[in-house]
Amino acid sequence: MAKPARFDFKKNIARALKDRQLRKNLRSAMDGLRVKRQDVFDDARELEELRGYGNAVKERALSRLPRLLEQLEQKCTQNGIQVHWAETTDEANHIVLEILQRHKATRLVKGKSMVSEEMHLNQFLARHGIEALETDLGEFIIQLDGETPSHIIVPAVHKNKDQIARTFHAKIPGAPYTEDVEALNRIARATLRKKFQAGHAGLSGVNFAVAETGTLCLVENEGNGRMCTTVPPVHIAVMGIEKVVEKLEEIPPLLRLLTGSATGQRITTYFNMITSPRKPGEKDGPLEVHLILLDNGRSRIYADPQLRQTLYCIRCGTCLNHCPVYTRLGGHAYGFLYPGPIGKILMPQLKGLSAAGDLAMASTLCNACEEVCPVRIPIPTLIRRVRNESYDASGSAVIPGHGYRRNLMEIMAWRAWALANSHPVINRLIFKLAGRIGHLLPAIGPLKAWTQVRSRPQFAPKSLHQLAREKGVPNG
Amino acid sequence: MPLYPPRPDKVYFFGTCIIDAIFPRAGLSAIRLLEREGITVLFPRSQSCCGQPAFNSGFPDEARQVARRQLYTFNRDYPIVVPSGSCAGMMKHHYAELFAGDRDEERALRFSGRVFELGQFLTDVLKIRLTDHGNPMKVTWHSSCHAMREMGVIKNAKALLAQLANVQLTQLEREYECCGFGGTFAVKHPLISSAMVRDKIDDIVQTGAKRVISGDCGCLLHIRGALDQCGLDVETQHLAEFLWERTNG
Amino acid sequence: MADITRDRILKRLHKAAAQAPDISPVACLPTAAYDRTHRLERLITLMSAMRTQIETANSRDWVDRLQAILKNRNLKRLLYSPETAMGRELQDAWPAESQELPALCSWKGQAEDFKDELFQIDAAITTTMGAIAETGAIVLWPDEKEPRLMSLVPPVHIAVLAADRVYNTFCEIIQAEKWSDHMPTNALLISGPSKTADIEMTLAFGVHGPRELIVLIIDET
């Protein structure tokens, strides 16, 4: 599923904003998630302590990332987990393929994994005759419809039950048309249960990897993750290299931050901590466990101390839930895998600015995301950094594609603005002029965009400077 | 530097460019409120803009150039009172980043230490007492994002409104949600900006209030523009102008 | 080939990390401490809110209690492990035949052989490693005696928990039981029956994991 070099963001936005059903679904879902989060973090002081801790743990873990990855690899290998490294998603896909082919596996059951979406794994495997079946209910629903997830945690949030009812009835053999949520769940359960038994291999993501013990930690509510990582004889875990933490004792607060922020839960139904494949004497569990460590641009992000903070992300999705722009657009409009505030800083860095830099412009910098990020990523500051680099063609910018937005008109406009605002005489002149003829300005450029949806601003006949002088307010 | 200085004799007033060009009466009302408390207000003529528009739009050099002008204009050790949470937030919290490693870094940090948002200054430094001379009316309040999240001064504005005995303040249902102005965002993404402000307007209308007050003229300009385009009969007013109008007898 | 990739990635990371300042280890957060009664109360309250059925018994009457719970539920078979002390007690006290109670059955062979039968079994009973009051979860350490799938596949999961093994917090159990020295193949925290809210954010129970979780707390007091 190759993306065109410049996706039509404006068109996506227009379409999303016109979709009343989508806006209604999103508004209701985001409200619910926000309230749940507030309820579960009812002690404000405790929450701030937790967030401070989360930020500190991530900062330290990342400052020692290569050593922790080496330790993780060593411990995992000691315990029988085979560790692979992939620089690109292409390499990661081939590693998965090689493992599956070695086991003559043609059916892969998947737990929810955003990294596997980054890899476009399902499509890749399909080209090689391997069926990859999503078992997380939300992912299952969108897979039936051939869609991509529209939210990091609740991938089918944009759909309502009659849409799902239609999908199930059309795509699942024997499924009746029903909008009853319990009935829909039962249909999914019955369909997927058969698939778990028949799967040749299982794939999962990793929420946290502990270097100290070589443990892969997974959160889930449905039980499909446990199914995928226990029933088939082979388990493949895919993970971004930034997910490693140092010690087991760091997990409880991070877990609390993740489940509380993502779904407003104190804890998910299951918290799964995997340290090895089936040991001698044990009667179940995969005979082989593989861990694929994926770079895909993360080591480049890592190289810049400020941008490195992007990698603190624990993929909770709460920034999306609090973003007034995401609430109105939904994930698909963003055109890239990770939408919302985190997407605005991550995608331009992963895909390059000329491909995804436009995402960072779609923000009012309202700071709602920063206020709730469980690991205190300074998202608005990083959005501004992405914007700065979008216009900076010089060697001091680091993100690939930097300077892509550089254009003479904007440069001249801001230089003129700077000139007018750093020279009081010019400043006074302009304000006098604006007061006199502001209303006559033709609606072009910014004024056209403004008046598209608002009435014209009216410049005051006398500026505050003039009034202050007239009223005798001292200069100082 | 103590969090709130004792009552000063003199303060600087930073008008903000939007008030300067479009809402000068709000600025004048703020100056008068301060003068009425016995403070000498200085309005340095060479002031212009805090630099935020360029800072947020990817042009930090131009932002710094303009911000530097303010550093040298407000060069004495007086508090700088700003009738905008957004501009105050820029000058208080982002000048450190803007001038990091710059020859004027020290000056910028000292400058930032002297910045106060108007409502914050009135309640926490001047401990102002207001007497309401107006007729009973119902208003609603719009919290600008930066006043709320960067400056934390919403409680100050509400405390001031609470002192007006004949004013009934009704709360917006989604007071925490951005109005969609966002500076250049308003012209770079007019559709999203409009969708956001339409929701904000619906919220305002459902309160039944005929006037919406805010501490930020950027938001007010945007909300006003949308109200006009929808033909709605709701007034918009800056907090300073409202307070002056109600208490000036 | 893979080694070259590994080395390239690590080289880049090491180069950047060399410039990062040393960050000191992060102090553990203060954690909750409840007294015994409150610990149990909290565990029960939180897990019940997640639709767990919680029962208490003591070491003498727990099997009777269990039988009372399972009576007339139309469960045909109860999977248990005869290799645990709990399992042996259960086996000794279970009737050879009963109309009202499920028949006991045990795991045979490896999962590959037992899988088809496992997916037909109605209920399973396992021991627990302990529980966590702050979060409201039981802890399982499946091993060769009690395979992982016992607490996942059958629609009803009964977990037997000793009241004395309820800890205050997740951090506490990790430290007190020295988890970092001996992590099992698969350690599990379970807070209730499986659920999902993927369809219009409406909560529904019983997805892929058990539809019902029954926690039987053995408390001598």
Side-chain angles (χ1 to χ4, degrees), chain A residues 29 33 46 49-50 53 56-57 59-60 63 65-67 69-70 73 85-87 91 135-138 141 153-157 159-161 164 181-182 184-185 188-189 192-193 196-197 212-213 215 221-224 226-227 229-231 241 248-249 251-253 255 265-279 281-287 295 299 302-303 308, chain C residues 1-2 5-6 8-10 12-14 16-17 19-30 42 46 50 83 107 109-112 115-116 119-120 134-137 140 142-145 147-155 170-171 174-175 179-181 183-211:
Chain A
L33 287 167
E46 188 200 353
E49 248 175 31
L50 266 173
Y53 180 89
V57 161
E59 188 188 17
R60 176 165 157 93
S63 76
L65 185 63
R67 273 176 288 173
L69 285 170
E70 283 163 348
E73 178 189 47
W85 299 71
E87 244 174 329
E91 277 175 28
T135 65
D136 170 271
L137 182 55
I141 292 168
I153 302 295
V154 278
V157 74
K159 292 192 176 294
N160 49 351
K161 34 181 214 269
I164 297 169
V181 175
E182 295 272 349
L184 287 167
N185 278 309
R189 180 188 162 102
L192 291 169
R193 212 161 163 78
F196 291 129
Q197 283 178 267
E212 183 185 23
T213 51
T215 300
N221 285 310
E222 293 174 31
N224 64 305
R226 287 182 63 196
M227 284 285 188
T229 57
T230 311
V231 177
I241 54 175
L248 208 53
E249 70 190 25
I251 294 295
L255 177 62
Q265 292 178 280
R266 197 165 287 280
I267 190 171
T268 42
T269 306
Y270 305 109
F271 185 57
N272 201 4
M273 305 171 83
I274 295 169
T275 309
S276 72
R278 189 187 310 189
K279 294 215 220 357
E282 287 179 348
K283 302 191 183 83
D284 66 2
L287 297 160
D295 182 348
S299 58
Y302 184 75
R308 183 178 303 162
Chain C
M1 178 68 189
T5 307
R6 172 189 186 277
R8 269 214 299 265
I9 295 173
L10 283 171
R12 276 199 296 275
L13 295 176
H14 274 297
Q19 274 135 32
D22 233 357
I23 316 259
S24 22
V26 190
C28 247
L29 287 174
R42 189 181 166 97
L46 289 177
M50 291 296 114
E83 295 170 59
W107 191 290
Q110 295 291 301
E112 290 71 28
K115 211 164 51 171
D116 289 340
F119 271 79
Q120 304 303 319
E134 193 197 22
T135 20
L140 265 66
D143 55 15
E144 67 282 351
K145 301 199 197 97
R148 289 145 80 163
L149 292 174
M150 283 180 74
S151 61
L152 180 64
V153 176
F170 193 3
C171 235
I174 287 176
Q175 284 167 345
W179 282 22
S180 49
D181 291 342
M183 285 301 281
T185 307
N186 185 193
L188 282 161
L189 268 60
I190 301 179
S191 63
S194 65
K195 57 186 182 276
T196 180
D198 269 320
I199 297 183
E200 275 197 11
M201 310 300 297
T202 309
L203 198 55
F205 287 86
V207 198
H208 303 297
R211 197 182 52 230

Side-chain angles (χ1 to χ4, degrees), chain A residues 68-185:
Chain A
L68 291 184
L69 285 170
E70 283 163 348
Q71 188 186 9
L72 177 70
E73 178 189 47
Q74 190 223 351
K75 281 285 168 184
C76 282
T77 308
Q78 218 175 320
N79 296 330
I81 296 179
Q82 299 176 49
V83 179
H84 314 259
W85 299 71
E87 244 174 329
T88 62
T89 52
D90 195 46
E91 277 175 28
N93 282 331
H94 277 98
I95 294 169
V96 174
L97 181 64
E98 192 272 327
I99 296 168
L100 295 178
Q101 282 175 337
R102 196 161 22 91
H103 288 273
K104 302 198 185 354
T106 54
R107 284 194 297 271
L108 176 71
V109 283
K110 288 182 69 191
K112 189 161 164 0
S113 159
M114 290 302 275
V115 165
S116 74
E117 303 273 352
E118 244 182 90
M119 290 157 62
H120 299 301
L121 177 67
N122 299 3
Q123 296 89 330
F124 174 83
L125 290 177
R127 288 200 292 276
H128 288 89
I130 296 173
E131 181 201 16
L133 176 66
E134 299 290 347
T135 65
D136 170 271
L137 182 55
E139 295 281 352
F140 174 64
I141 292 168
I142 60 176
Q143 184 176 49
L144 287 175
D145 273 341
E147 288 181 24
T148 54
S150 67
H151 188 286
I152 292 174
I153 302 295
V154 278
V157 74
H158 56 293
K159 292 192 176 294
N160 49 351
K161 34 181 214 269
D162 62 88
Q163 289 167 315
I164 297 169
R166 269 197 302 278
T167 299
F168 276 22
H169 183 52
K171 307 272 175 70
I172 300 177
Y177 182 91
T178 170
E179 289 180 21
D180 176 61
V181 175
E182 295 272 349
L184 287 167
N185 278 309

Side-chain angles (χ1 to χ4, degrees), chain A residues 282-336:
Chain A
E282 287 179 348
K283 302 191 183 83
D284 66 2
L287 297 160
E288 268 183 41
V289 177
H290 297 261
L291 173 64
I292 302 178
L293 299 170
L294 177 64
D295 182 348
N296 195 29
R298 289 158 171 78
S299 58
R300 192 187 356 92
I301 298 176
Y302 184 75
D304 182 282
Q306 187 186 45
L307 293 172
R308 183 178 303 162
Q309 297 172 102
T310 314
L311 301 177
Y312 291 10
C313 181
I314 60 176
R315 302 287 193 266
C316 72
T318 208
C319 56
L320 276 65
N321 302 345
H322 290 79
C323 177
V325 173
Y326 176 86
T327 303
R328 286 171 179 82
L329 299 183
H332 290 154
Y334 289 76
F336 285 92

Side-chain angles (χ1 to χ4, degrees), chain A residues 35-48:
Chain A
V35 166
K36 286 215 187 83
R37 174 189 168 275
Q38 241 174 309
D39 287 343
V40 87
F41 286 127
D42 51 5
D43 184 338
R45 198 194 42 85
E46 188 200 353
L47 176 58
E48 285 319 299

Side-chain angles (χ1 to χ4, degrees), chain A residues 197-215:
Chain A
Q197 283 178 267
H200 297 146
L203 185 126
S204 77
V206 177
N207 293 104
F208 308 107
V210 183
E212 183 185 23
T213 51
T215 300

